[in-house]
Amino acid sequence: MRVTVLDHPLVAHKLTVLRDKDTTSPVFRLLVEELVTLLAYEATRQVRVEPVEIETPVTRTTGVGLSKPRPLVVPILRAGLGMLEGMTRLVPTAEVGFLGMARNEDTLDIITYAERLPDDLTGRQVFVLDPMLATGGTLREAIKFLYRRGAEQITCICLLAAPEGLAALEEELGDSEVSIVLAARDERLNEKSYIVPGLGDAGDRLYGVVD
Ligand SMILES: O=P(O)(O)OC[C@H]1O[C@H](OP(=O)(O)OP(=O)(O)O)[C@H](O)[C@@H]1O
Ligand SMILES: O=c1cc[nH]c(=O)[nH]1
Ligand SMILES: [Mg+2]
């Protein structure tokens, strides 16, 4: 498992505004999109391309195009949905599949309540979007699910991760092909398994509180 934390002043600045409890939902949504576009630039470094012959106004030359099958982007509902626009802005021809998962806030068990993905992901490059990697339970379930379908290379784009969640994933997926790209590695989890300093409940800040 490879973890990359994007070290860039613009990322740090946007993240600071995102963390602020007084930042409103519309601004929060905009900042998430902008941050994801910056993270996606790093996360797609290994995206598969193939040679393409083109003619410029001056001469013939060989460039590159995205290989087929196209990369598959999988936002984890709800909060990951707020990252989709920022990702597809950078990779507009990517396919998109959906996983709906929620963490039971008392037991921390993960339930998968929705799934809309190709049955066969053999050989596919998959980009998973979820802003928060707390205990790591949600990403662990998502990654196992995608591997069972045949995914070959999985890259997770998250805004924040707790060291505890990264360690748990490392223990379970250590020698796999999974990459994780982050805007920040935070300090710790609190007694409710929220990330500290964090930004609160990402889904609620994007879309409002649900019971
Ligand atoms: O690493 P974990 O301990 O599993 O926690 C992280 C998960 O918690 C949040 O989702 P949540 O369950 O709140 O669902 P939501 O997006 O619908 O708010 C977040 O978006 C992650 O999916
Ligand atoms: O800090 C956290 C932990 C889990 N889910 C969130 O949205 N935020
Ligand atoms: Mg939530």
Side-chain angles (χ1 to χ4, degrees):
M1 190 176 103
R2 197 174 60 223
V3 180
T4 306
V5 183
L6 215 63
D7 181 17
H8 193 290
L10 275 183
V11 170
H13 164 60
K14 289 176 192 296
L15 198 52
T16 303
V17 183
L18 199 72
R19 290 182 192 276
D20 189 328
K21 67 178 175 38
D22 293 326
T23 295
T24 59
S25 260
V27 176
F28 191 93
R29 284 201 285 265
L30 212 64
L31 283 167
V32 168
E33 285 180 20
E34 290 176 1
L35 276 163
V36 172
T37 302
L38 295 171
L39 291 172
Y41 179 74
E42 177 63 33
T44 50
R45 221 171 253 291
Q46 307 294 333
V47 75
R48 281 190 215 117
V49 290
E50 59 194 25
V52 173
E53 284 270 313
I54 56 151
E55 204 159 328
T56 78
V58 180
T59 185
R60 283 191 74 75
T61 189
T62 306
V64 298
L66 286 187
S67 298
K68 288 198 176 131
R70 302 273 190 223
L72 179 72
V73 175
V74 180
I76 300 185
L77 311 181
R78 274 179 311 165
L81 202 52
M83 302 169 79
L84 183 58
E85 181 70 26
M87 180 72 187
T88 53
R89 191 169 298 145
L90 200 69
V91 195
T93 56
E95 286 177 21
V96 182
F98 297 90
L99 269 177
M101 293 183 149
R103 175 176 100 154
N104 179 315
E105 293 298 340
D106 298 320
T107 63
L108 300 179
D109 289 339
I110 310 302
I111 59 149
T112 302
Y113 59 85
E115 175 261 306
R116 194 83 167 95
L117 289 169
D119 285 341
D120 184 8
L121 295 176
T122 307
R124 298 292 293 267
Q125 274 188 313
V126 181
F127 293 88
V128 177
L129 308 178
D130 193 336
M132 309 302 273
L133 194 173
T135 65
T138 304
L139 269 192
R140 180 193 64 228
E141 292 307 311
I143 290 166
K144 286 202 308 204
F145 189 100
L146 294 164
Y147 272 144
R148 279 200 299 273
R149 288 271 169 104
E152 189 174 299
Q153 206 182 34
I154 300 177
T155 303
C156 304
I157 303 180
C158 304
L159 299 181
L160 302 182
E164 294 91 329
L166 287 171
L169 279 184
E170 173 73 41
E171 190 162 325
E172 243 180 279
L173 309 165
D175 51 2
S176 71
E177 272 284 295
V178 173
S179 294
I180 299 185
V181 178
L182 301 171
R185 188 195 310 252
D186 270 8
E187 285 167 22
R188 61 186 169 85
L189 292 177
N190 69 11
E191 61 291 347
K192 291 183 169 164
S193 290
Y194 270 74
I195 298 174
V196 180
L199 50 75
D201 188 300
D204 289 355
R205 294 202 64 188
L206 282 162
Y207 302 119
V209 181
V210 287
D211 297 324

